[in-house]
Amino acid sequence: MSALAPQPFPVLLQRFFVQRLIQQQHVTSCTVAAYRDSFRLLLGFAHRRLQKRPSDLSLEDLNASFILDFLEHLEVDRHNSIRSRNARLAAIRSFMEYVSFEEPSALALAQSVLAIPMKRFEQPLVGFLSREHMEAVLAAPDGHTWTGQRDRVMLATLYNTGTRVSELINMRVSDLTLEPTAWVRIRGKGRKERSVPLWASTAQELKRWLRQYPRASEEPLFPGRSGAPLTRIGFTERLKLAVKAAAQQYPELAKRRIFPHMVRHSVAMHMLQSGVDITVIALWLGHESPVTTHRYIEADLEMKDRALKALQAPSCAPVRYRPKDDVLRFLQGL
C-alpha cells in the first residue's frame, strides 16, 4: 500500500476499537461490548445486502444511504425500539468521527453519516411498584434453598440501594462494609463510584449470607451456581420467578411487565413519596444530573393530587356589575 493510499476499512475498524476506544479513551468493557454488538449487526447486514465479507468492505460501502437502510432494518425487520436504533447509530457515528480525523480522504463520506440525526421518541411515564407489591416480591424467594437465600438478599440489596442491574451483579465482597456503619460501594456508569448506606435489616441479611457462604474479598457478592457473577439474563429470570410467586398474593402483578429497572424506579418513587429531596435521590441513584430524576415527579399522581387539594379552586360565583352612581341617577330620570 502506497503512502497516499487510503487505509482499508478493516484496518480503521480495528484501530478504532484498539487505539481509540481502549487505549486513548479507556472506555469500560460494557461500552466496548455495546459497540462490538452494533458492528456485528452492521457487518452482518452488509454481508446480506452487498454480498461482501467484512474483510472485503470499503468505507465507500458504508455511505449515508446504506446506514439509513441499516437503521430501517433494525426497526422494521428486527423490531428494535428507537432507543436501540439510536444506540447503534451512536456507535457508528463515533467510528465515523474517528475516520474523519484518521482518513481525510473520506471526510465527505464521514460527514454525511454524522449528519444522520438521532430519532426522537415518546418518553413514557415511569413505571413503578407500590410498597405492598414491592414487599411481596422481596419476600417471595424460598429461603430454604441456596438460590432462594441469595435471591432474597440480592433483591433486598437492590431495593435498598436502587442500583442498576449491571452495578448489582458486579458488586464484590470487598465493596461491602458492615461495621461500624453498614454501607456498600457502587461502581456506576462511566467509572463513577458512590457509597450508599444500608438499612439494619439489609445489613443483617448480608451478614447472615456471608456467614453461611463465605467467599474471598474479590469474589462476586451475588454469584451464580458456578461461582461467577450472575448475568443480566440470570438476574432477570430470578426476578420473574419472584414476581410469579408474589402474584399468588397479588394477581394483578401477573398482568404487568416487571423488569429489573422498574425496581430502581420504585426506589426513587418511594423516596420521593416519603419527602426525600430530589437532589438527594439523584445522588442516591447515581444520576449525573437531577434533570433525569425529575421524570419521577411526573409519574406520581398522589403528589399531584395533594398539590391540587392544597390549591383552592377559583370561585365560580357570578360577578355582579355595579354601575356608577351617576349612571344610576341618569337611568332613574328616564
Side-chain angles (χ1 to χ4, degrees):
M1 184 174 66
S2 65
L4 296 178
Q7 300 180 67
F9 165 72
V11 173
L12 286 169
L13 185 59
Q14 182 176 359
R15 288 180 177 175
F16 169 68
F17 274 92
V18 177
Q19 295 182 1
R20 173 57 64 91
L21 294 182
I22 298 176
Q23 295 179 2
Q24 297 173 9
Q25 294 183 335
H26 194 48
V27 300
T28 64
S29 58
C30 293
T31 300
V32 173
Y35 279 32
R36 175 205 62 198
D37 293 342
S38 296
F39 277 94
R40 274 182 176 174
L41 292 172
L42 179 65
L43 296 176
F45 178 75
H47 179 65
R48 293 187 299 272
R49 175 65 62 90
L50 305 176
Q51 300 300 312
K52 287 186 176 183
R53 296 178 300 175
S55 58
D56 297 331
L57 286 173
S58 65
L59 279 174
E60 288 72 21
D61 293 324
L62 306 182
N63 54 50
S65 176
F66 176 81
I67 298 301
L68 286 171
D69 289 342
F70 169 66
L71 296 175
E72 183 180 5
H73 159 73
L74 293 178
E75 290 190 74
V76 177
D77 299 329
R78 290 182 57 86
H79 306 290
N80 287 170
S81 66
I82 296 179
R83 282 180 181 270
S84 297
R85 178 259 192 202
N86 287 347
R88 305 305 183 193
L89 177 57
I92 296 170
R93 289 173 67 172
S94 180
F95 170 68
M96 285 300 178
E97 184 178 3
Y98 170 76
V99 168
S100 67
F101 287 99
E102 290 293 316
E103 192 51 63
S105 63
L107 184 58
L109 181 143
Q111 288 300 320
S112 66
V113 174
L114 290 171
I116 298 175
M118 294 291 181
K119 182 175 281 191
R120 294 180 177 272
F121 56 92
E122 294 182 358
Q123 293 279 1
L125 287 176
V126 175
F128 64 98
L129 297 172
S130 67
R131 288 294 294 269
E132 293 77 12
H133 287 168
M134 193 69 245
E135 289 174 358
V137 172
L138 295 177
D142 183 4
H144 296 91
T145 64
W146 180 86
T147 53
Q149 293 174 13
R150 180 204 58 197
D151 292 353
R152 277 204 174 196
V153 68
M154 182 169 61
L155 291 174
T157 304
L158 177 66
Y159 180 64
N160 188 155
T161 59
T163 63
R164 302 173 180 90
V165 175
S166 58
E167 297 168 348
L168 181 77
I169 61 179
N170 287 321
M171 283 182 186
R172 298 191 289 262
V173 175
S174 59
D175 295 327
L176 191 64
T177 299
L178 298 174
E179 299 291 347
T181 303
W183 58 275
V184 63
R185 180 173 62 241
I186 300 172
R187 295 176 175 84
K189 294 170 65 175
R191 293 193 175 88
K192 299 183 181 70
E193 292 189 1
R194 65 187 187 276
S195 300
V196 176
L198 298 173
W199 291 317
S201 57
T202 307
Q204 287 297 326
E205 289 191 50
L206 285 164
K207 285 180 182 178
R208 191 180 307 112
W209 167 247
L210 292 176
R211 188 164 53 248
Q212 291 178 336
Y213 306 101
R215 285 180 299 284
S217 61
E218 291 305 312
E219 290 188 303
L221 185 58
F222 305 114
R225 288 189 176 276
S226 64
L230 200 64
T231 64
R232 280 176 170 272
I233 296 176
F235 177 84
T236 302
E237 291 301 318
R238 302 310 301 178
L239 177 62
K240 286 181 179 178
L241 288 175
V243 171
K244 184 178 180 180
Q248 297 179 6
Q249 181 181 0
Y250 296 99
E252 60 270 22
L253 286 174
K255 302 176 182 178
R256 299 187 60 184
R257 176 178 172 269
I258 297 174
F259 47 93
H261 214 66
M262 186 180 286
V263 179
R264 179 173 163 86
H265 292 169
S266 303
V267 174
M269 291 303 303
H270 298 167
M271 294 178 74
L272 189 65
Q273 291 167 348
S274 299
V276 179
D277 187 84
I278 196 166
T279 56
V280 177
I281 299 176
L283 291 171
W284 192 282
L285 298 180
H287 286 164
E288 194 163 334
S289 169
V291 174
T292 307
T293 321
H294 273 283
R295 292 182 57 204
Y296 297 106
I297 297 180
E298 291 296 323
D300 194 356
L301 291 176
E302 292 183 6
M303 291 181 64
K304 292 180 179 178
D305 186 56
R306 291 197 297 269
L308 182 65
K309 292 177 181 178
L311 178 65
Q312 293 183 353
S315 174
C316 297
V319 178
R320 294 184 178 180
Y321 174 70
R322 296 181 178 276
K324 294 183 178 180
D325 293 341
D326 55 347
V327 178
L328 285 173
R329 286 194 297 269
F330 172 76
L331 293 175
Q332 290 172 355
L334 293 179

